[in-house]
């Protein structure tokens, strides 16, 4: 019989994590230890040396943890196991590490491992050689008390409002068929942040009637999207029963269970009321926004900022929470900016934005709601003022009122001295007047920038940014290259070359190897007079390619080239990161809702008509002002997208070279592109711009080259003109050749702040 010596909830401080803010100072870590040994001799003699002294065990672990630094909780747990085996002569030990507040909406996350002396070589025990992480079957990575909001329940009132569910996860990394991991490395497959982020993205955009469906979906997402081998999911509904703390369901699923998906789903559909697969549910649950309710009469501008965790997701989630009740509607958002910290310099940069809302709440009631959101997202109001925070929301302007008491001042007392406030606010309120300073917001920004330039003070650089596949991309850093991947048999220059998923996946990797920053996958040709295929056929051509790429660990951002909402919806669900709509949302009325649902970057391209009619729609007025007219038309599409809930910081424009434009109009776009990207009077100024001149017919006409595949040099000239005109993304077939063109053009023309 094996006895146990236990230490429960030992709190130590350790530098642990991969983010810069996690490595700035020591964080509390909770350790639970179970040593498996025999205490018989000590029990018979009442003599402690015959056992392992738990005081010595505690001090050994505490001393080791306090002086060490790790990137992963797995490495810390393994290190503790080795030191207790070596110094305390523990024959076998279970180590559980809890990292409180590792995730914004979970109590903790961590790891539990069991190790014996036989699991290590003598050199590894003595730290003479690096010790890789070898997961065993009983090891788990866990997420404790993750709180998500979703529609769940069969009662009518439960279908109207989201409610909180509590999710607990146990992942079994020891079952993954992978070799030993190098020491202190965070694997994406076992990264609890990645897993939770993926699960949250899908779950909060869906609705369920039963907890059974909910818990099955969580397990399916973890296995099919995050590629874990086995997972235990426990879901509890705190509001389910009045006289009980909660009610819920716990299941354990593995890859083999879902490998029989066709038979399993057919059985579920025929024998229970569980909804169909996640893919079907996503189609039927595209949220739509109605008009702003008439009772929301007050116009308020808010500032938002974050520099802890996934800052972009924090800002987005704060806006979602702001709209949870019927008394606030977000009607516009600014672009997104990465800004240097202003008051407390020793902290990570912030992401900042501004939003315009309509509300029926009085100022103090709105402030109360904001503070509740901040607290719920993990902001600690007892820490250093102006220090790091997961979310910060300030009321800047409320109608045109002036208000002051001990907790709130309107207009915000310091907004005129903060570029990180004025710059995003200027995106949505440049002509709004400050009620005390009697200056428009654009004037306040100009005054501040002038003051900063005259003082020669180094205030750091502010970057307009976008969140692209969980990475913050600065639009002013470089021109991005979007590589074209057509899975069509009839595209004008490469039709039929990549019509199988395997061929397309190989081509995608080649594009990245050649220098592509984004791979744009399209399943239907939009060349003049092309035949339009069915939605089902377009999905069949596109989705398997995305799924295959993500299954192989392809981590480059993927764009889906489609004007159909259902194709875009399934593509993002499969792993795409950007929607590239040649119709700017005009061909499919549901497209804007899909864009808003997934909260991903979207490219809105100017086009008139369809593939059969666009060549007859090239009349841009008596002055042939193609830039002026397309800017007006594209701005209308942008406003529709914003009204539907698409955030401004996710919108990219495309003038649509070759779509409802003749050869001279295409050249006019390239020549006058600076008017669209830089002139303050143009409605499209400020939006990142994508230009796609690659191999187009007007280049062939100019170079007398009928073979589209031989138009690379003409394409290079058009790309150079595009970059000179302010393009942020170039969409091309010949990535390898254009890569050098972009590098040199950037060095000449791209303005760096």
């Amino acid at each position: 019989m094996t006895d146990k010596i236990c230490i429960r909830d030992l709190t130590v401080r350790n530098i642990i994590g991969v983010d810069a803010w996690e490595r700035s100072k020591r964080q509390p870590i909770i350790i639970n230890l179970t040593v498996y040994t025999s205490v018989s001799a000590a029990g018979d003699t009442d003599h402690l040396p015959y056992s392992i002294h738990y005081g010595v065990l505690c001090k050994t672990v505490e001393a080791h943890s306090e002086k060490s630094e790790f990137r992963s909780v797995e490495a810390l747990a393994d290190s503790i196991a080795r030191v207790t085996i070596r110094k305390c002569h523990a024959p076998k030990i279970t180590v559980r590490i809890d990292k409180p507040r590792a995730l914004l909406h979970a109590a903790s996350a961590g790891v539990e491992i069991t190790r014996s002396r036989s699991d290590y070589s003598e050199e590894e025990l003595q730290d003479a050689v690096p010790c890789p992480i070898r997961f065993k079957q009983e090891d788990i990575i866990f997420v404790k008390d993750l709180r998500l909001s979703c529609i769940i329940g069969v009662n009518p009132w439960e279908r109207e409002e989201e409610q909180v569910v509590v999710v607990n996860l146990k992942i079994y990394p020891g079952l993954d068929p992978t070799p030993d991991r190098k020491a202190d490395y965070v694997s994406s497959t076992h990264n609890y942040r990645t897993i939770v982020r993926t699960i949250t993205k899908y779950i909060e955009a869906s609705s369920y009637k039963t907890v059974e469906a909910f818990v099955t979906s969580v397990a399916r997402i973890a296995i099919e999207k995050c590629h874990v081998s086995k997972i235990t999911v426990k879901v509890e509904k705190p509001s389910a029963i009045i006289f009980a703390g909660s009610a819920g369901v716990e299941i354990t699923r593995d890859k083999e269970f879902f490998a029989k998906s066709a038979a399993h789903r057919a059985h579920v559909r025929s024998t229970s009321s569980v909804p169909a697969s996640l893919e079907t549910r996503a189609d039927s649950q595209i949220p739509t926004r109605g008009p702003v309710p008439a009772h929301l009469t007050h116009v308020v501008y808010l500032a938002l900022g974050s520099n802890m965790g996934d800052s972009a997701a924090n800002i987005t989630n704060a806006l979602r929470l702001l709209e949870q009740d019927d008394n606030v509607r977000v009607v516009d958002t600014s672009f997104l900016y990465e800004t240097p910290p202003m008051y407390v310099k020793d902290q990570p940069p912030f992401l900042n934005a501004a939003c315009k809302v309509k509300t029926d709440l009085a100022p103090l009631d709105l402030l109360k709601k904001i503070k509740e959101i901040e607290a719920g997202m993990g902001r600690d109001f007892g820490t250093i003022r102006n220090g790091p925070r997961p979310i910060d929301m300030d009321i800047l302007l409320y109608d045109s009122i002036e208000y002051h008491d001990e907790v709130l001042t309107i207009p915000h007392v310091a907004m005129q001295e903060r570029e990180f406030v004025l710059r995003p606010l200027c995106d949505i309120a440049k002509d709004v007047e400050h009620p005390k300073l009697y200056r428009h917001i654009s004037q306040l920004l100009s005054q501040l920038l002038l003051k900063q330039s005259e003082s020669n003070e180094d205030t750091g650089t502010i970057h307009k940014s976008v969140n692209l596949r969980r990475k913050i991309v600065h639009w002013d850093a470089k021109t991005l290259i979007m590589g074209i991947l057509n899975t069509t048999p009839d595209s004008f220059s490469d039709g039929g070359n990549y019509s199988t998923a395997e061929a397309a996946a190989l081509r995608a990797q080649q594009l990245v190897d050649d220098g592509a920053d984004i791979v744009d996958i399209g399943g239907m040709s939009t060349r003049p007079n092309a035949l339009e295929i069915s939605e089902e056929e377009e999905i069949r051509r596109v989705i398997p390619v995305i799924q295959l790429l993500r299954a192989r660990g392809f981590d480059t951002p993927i764009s889906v080239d489609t004007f159909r909402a259902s194709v875009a919806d399934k593509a993002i669900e499969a792993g795409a990161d950007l929607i590239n709509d040649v119709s700017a949302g005009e061909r499919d009325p549901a497209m804007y809702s899909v864009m808003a649902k997934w909260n991903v970057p979207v490219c809105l391209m100017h086009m008139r008509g369809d593939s059969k009619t666009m060549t007859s729609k090239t009349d841009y007025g008596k002055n042939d002002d193609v830039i002026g007219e397309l800017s007006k038309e594209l701005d209308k599409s942008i406003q529709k997208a914003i009204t539907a809930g698409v955030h401004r910081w996710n919108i990219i424009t495309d003038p649509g070279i070759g779509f409802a434009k003749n050869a001279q109009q295409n050249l006019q776009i390239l020549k006058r592109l600076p008017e669209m990207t830089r002139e303050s009077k143009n409605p499209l100024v400020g939006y990142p711009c994508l230009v796609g001149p690659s191999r187009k017919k007007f280049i062939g006409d100019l170079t007398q080259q009928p073979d589209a595949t031989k138009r690379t040099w003409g394409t290079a000239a058009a790309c150079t003109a595009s970059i000179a005109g302010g393009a942020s993304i170039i969409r091309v077939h010949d990535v390898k050749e254009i890569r050098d063109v972009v590098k040199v053009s950037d060095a000449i023309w791209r303005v760096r702040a």
Side-chain angles (χ1 to χ4, degrees):
M1 182 179 68
T2 302
D3 304 316
K4 300 176 183 178
I5 297 173
C6 305
I7 294 178
R8 179 183 172 193
D9 294 347
L10 171 64
T11 301
V12 300
R13 295 180 179 274
N14 187 269
I15 298 256
I16 189 165
V18 295
D19 291 330
W21 63 269
E22 294 178 298
R23 307 197 65 77
S24 61
K25 61 180 180 179
R26 296 189 175 273
Q27 308 169 52
I29 300 294
I30 299 173
I31 301 174
N32 284 268
L33 305 172
T34 302
V35 176
Y36 303 88
T37 186
S38 174
V39 301
S40 297
D44 292 339
T45 63
D46 201 13
H47 194 44
L48 190 56
Y50 289 115
S51 181
I52 296 175
H53 195 310
Y54 52 72
V56 174
L57 179 65
C58 180
K59 289 180 180 179
T60 300
V61 171
E62 188 174 27
H64 177 75
S65 303
E66 295 278 357
K67 71 178 182 180
S68 55
E69 296 183 10
F70 295 91
R71 294 173 62 82
S72 69
V73 288
E74 298 96 311
L76 173 58
D78 191 75
S79 178
I80 289 173
R82 281 184 282 122
V83 77
T84 53
I85 290 172
R86 183 177 76 245
K87 293 187 176 182
C88 300
H89 308 292
K92 183 180 178 181
I93 186 169
T94 294
V95 181
R96 178 185 173 99
I97 305 290
D98 281 77
K99 188 177 176 186
R101 294 178 290 279
L103 300 161
L104 279 178
H105 303 293
S108 67
V111 66
E112 181 176 307
I113 66 172
T114 300
R115 296 291 182 268
S116 302
R117 176 173 286 274
S118 60
D119 292 323
Y120 302 104
S121 68
E122 192 60 35
E123 290 81 6
E124 289 171 342
L125 284 176
Q126 299 298 329
D127 285 331
V129 295
C131 185
I133 305 297
R134 305 183 189 95
F135 282 118
K136 303 172 71 175
Q137 288 199 9
E138 63 266 34
D139 295 341
I140 62 169
I141 295 170
F142 62 85
V143 175
K144 181 180 177 182
D145 293 348
L146 172 66
R147 301 176 72 85
L148 300 177
S149 298
C150 71
I151 298 292
I152 184 167
V154 296
N155 295 308
W157 58 87
E158 293 181 301
R159 309 303 299 166
E160 296 294 327
E161 186 175 343
E162 291 182 343
Q163 57 181 299
V164 172
V165 293
V166 180
V167 181
N168 282 270
L169 307 175
K170 292 181 182 178
I171 299 133
Y172 302 87
L175 297 175
D176 291 336
T178 55
D180 293 346
R181 284 172 27 190
K182 63 184 181 181
D184 206 7
Y185 169 76
V186 180
S187 164
S188 60
T189 306
H190 307 135
N191 188 333
Y192 49 74
R193 288 187 182 177
T194 301
I195 293 169
V196 167
R197 185 184 300 118
T198 304
I199 289 172
T200 302
K201 176 182 177 182
Y202 283 91
I203 294 304
E204 293 194 340
S206 305
S207 69
Y208 304 89
K209 292 181 179 178
T210 65
V211 179
E212 288 81 356
F214 184 105
V215 75
T216 301
S217 291
V218 172
R220 186 189 301 277
I221 293 164
I223 288 173
E224 295 184 354
K225 306 297 181 183
C226 304
H227 312 295
V228 305
S229 293
K230 181 179 177 182
I231 187 169
T232 295
V233 182
K234 182 178 181 181
V235 173
E236 296 173 285
K237 247 176 106 174
S239 58
I241 300 173
I242 294 178
F243 296 104
S246 68
V249 174
E250 179 176 316
I251 65 171
T252 299
R253 296 289 184 265
D254 56 20
K255 286 184 176 180
E256 287 70 26
F257 182 90
F258 290 113
K260 305 170 184 175
S261 58
H264 170 69
R265 292 173 191 175
H267 174 71
V268 169
R269 283 194 296 269
S270 63
T271 61
S272 77
S273 61
V274 176
S277 69
L278 180 64
E279 289 80 4
T280 302
R281 186 163 52 248
D283 281 348
S284 61
Q285 295 296 333
I286 297 174
T288 57
R289 288 164 69 94
V292 178
H295 66 277
L296 304 181
T297 57
H298 299 293
V299 176
V300 184
Y301 291 91
L302 305 176
L304 304 103
S306 172
N307 73 337
M308 290 179 65
D310 188 340
S311 295
N314 292 346
I315 290 175
T316 299
N317 193 38
L319 294 180
R320 183 185 64 81
L321 293 171
L322 200 61
E323 288 189 307
Q324 270 195 338
D325 300 321
D326 293 334
N327 46 31
V328 178
R329 171 71 70 88
V330 177
V331 296
D332 203 356
T333 52
S334 70
F335 295 110
L336 198 63
Y337 297 85
E338 187 177 87
T339 68
M342 182 173 180
Y343 301 107
V344 179
K345 303 290 187 179
D346 186 18
Q347 59 177 316
F350 280 81
L351 276 185
N352 288 104
C355 70
K356 176 183 178 181
V357 306
K358 299 199 75 174
T359 183
D360 61 358
L361 294 175
L364 288 178
D365 292 329
L366 179 60
L367 178 65
K368 179 182 177 182
K369 178 167 184 157
I370 286 172
K371 294 304 178 185
E372 289 173 351
I373 292 172
E374 291 176 334
M377 292 183 64
R379 182 173 179 184
D380 184 355
F381 294 95
T383 59
I384 183 172
R385 181 175 173 81
N386 298 316
R389 67 212 87 161
I391 191 66
D392 185 13
M393 304 171 70
D394 288 322
I395 300 174
L396 301 176
L397 301 169
Y398 186 106
D399 291 335
S400 297
I401 71 167
E402 296 181 37
Y403 180 89
H404 177 74
D405 66 12
E406 64 272 15
V407 295
L408 178 64
T409 298
I410 301 175
H412 192 281
V413 67
M415 59 183 289
Q416 66 272 14
E417 68 182 45
R418 298 175 175 179
E419 185 182 354
F420 64 83
V421 170
L422 292 177
R423 196 171 285 276
L425 185 58
C426 212
D427 295 334
I428 57 176
K430 66 178 182 179
D431 295 325
V432 173
E433 187 176 88
H434 191 291
K436 287 189 71 174
L437 302 178
Y438 307 107
R439 296 287 186 274
H440 290 165
I441 301 303
S442 58
Q443 294 172 314
L444 293 178
L445 178 59
S446 296
Q447 290 175 347
L448 178 61
L449 295 177
L450 178 61
K451 180 180 177 181
Q452 289 176 177
S453 65
E454 291 175 344
S455 69
N456 294 319
E457 180 183 354
D458 183 13
T459 57
T461 302
I462 291 180
H463 302 278
K464 184 178 290 184
S465 304
V466 68
N467 181 28
L468 184 58
R469 193 159 181 79
R470 303 180 301 277
K471 294 182 180 178
I472 300 303
V473 176
H474 297 168
W475 286 119
D476 61 357
K478 56 172 280 191
T479 302
L480 300 180
I481 300 176
M482 177 183 281
I484 299 170
L485 176 54
N486 292 316
T487 62
T488 58
D490 57 343
S491 290
F492 76 93
S493 72
D494 58 357
N497 291 350
Y498 314 109
S499 55
T500 68
E502 181 64 29
L506 292 174
R507 177 57 178 167
Q509 188 59 57
Q510 184 62 57
L511 290 170
V512 173
D513 293 343
D514 288 346
D517 302 291
I518 305 167
V519 174
D520 188 43
I521 302 176
M524 181 170 66
S525 176
T526 51
R527 63 176 173 78
N529 298 311
L531 293 174
E532 290 190 3
I533 59 174
S534 67
E535 290 187 11
E536 292 76 13
E537 176 62 17
E538 188 178 0
I539 288 170
R540 187 194 67 78
R541 292 177 182 181
V542 172
I543 304 306
V545 179
I546 299 172
Q547 291 172 332
L548 180 59
L549 286 168
R550 293 306 185 213
R552 291 180 175 178
F554 185 85
D555 201 41
T556 299
I558 293 174
S559 167
V560 58
D561 180 3
T562 184
F563 58 75
R564 287 169 167 160
S566 64
V567 179
D569 192 46
K570 288 185 179 294
I572 300 300
E573 185 176 15
D577 309 285
L578 187 152
I579 298 171
N580 183 11
D581 185 347
V582 296
S583 76
E586 299 294 335
R587 290 288 305 274
D588 189 334
M591 180 60 93
Y592 297 132
S593 295
V594 170
M595 292 173 173
K597 167 188 172 181
W598 289 108
N599 188 39
V600 295
V602 300
C603 182
L604 305 180
M605 192 193 83
H606 177 266
M607 180 185 184
R608 291 174 171 175
D610 56 30
S611 59
K612 295 187 181 303
T613 63
M614 62 181 176
T615 55
S616 65
K617 297 181 179 295
T618 58
D619 183 0
Y620 289 89
K622 64 178 182 179
N623 296 322
D624 198 28
D625 183 13
V626 63
I627 285 290
E629 292 303 310
L630 79 83
S631 296
K632 293 176 185 176
E633 293 172 19
L634 199 50
D635 182 56
K636 291 179 181 178
S637 299
I638 289 173
Q639 297 311 313
K640 291 178 184 177
I642 291 173
T643 299
V646 178
H647 296 148
R648 184 184 300 262
W649 58 69
N650 279 329
I651 296 175
I652 302 163
T653 61
D654 182 345
I657 286 180
F659 290 82
K661 287 95 179 171
N662 59 36
Q664 287 303 313
Q665 290 166 343
N666 290 326
L667 293 172
Q668 185 185 155
I669 289 173
L670 293 174
K671 183 177 181 179
R672 297 176 56 196
L673 193 62
E675 296 177 28
M676 180 175 149
T677 61
R678 295 172 186 150
E679 282 197 4
S680 60
K681 294 182 180 180
N682 190 290
L684 304 184
V685 71
Y687 290 94
C689 177
L690 181 152
V691 181
S694 186
R695 300 181 179 178
K696 292 289 174 70
K697 184 177 182 298
F698 80 98
I699 294 176
D701 293 341
L702 288 170
T703 60
Q704 299 180 350
Q705 179 52 264
D707 186 348
T709 63
K710 296 180 180 179
R711 297 172 183 168
T712 305
W713 299 116
T715 297
C719 289
T720 302
S722 300
I723 294 170
S728 299
I729 305 175
I730 299 296
R731 183 178 182 271
V732 294
H733 298 82
D734 304 302
V735 172
K736 187 174 182 179
E737 292 81 357
I738 301 302
R739 175 190 61 192
D740 292 343
V741 173
V742 169
K743 286 182 178 179
V744 176
S745 298
D746 274 356
I748 298 171
W749 282 294
R750 180 163 285 278
V751 177
R752 301 181 186 276

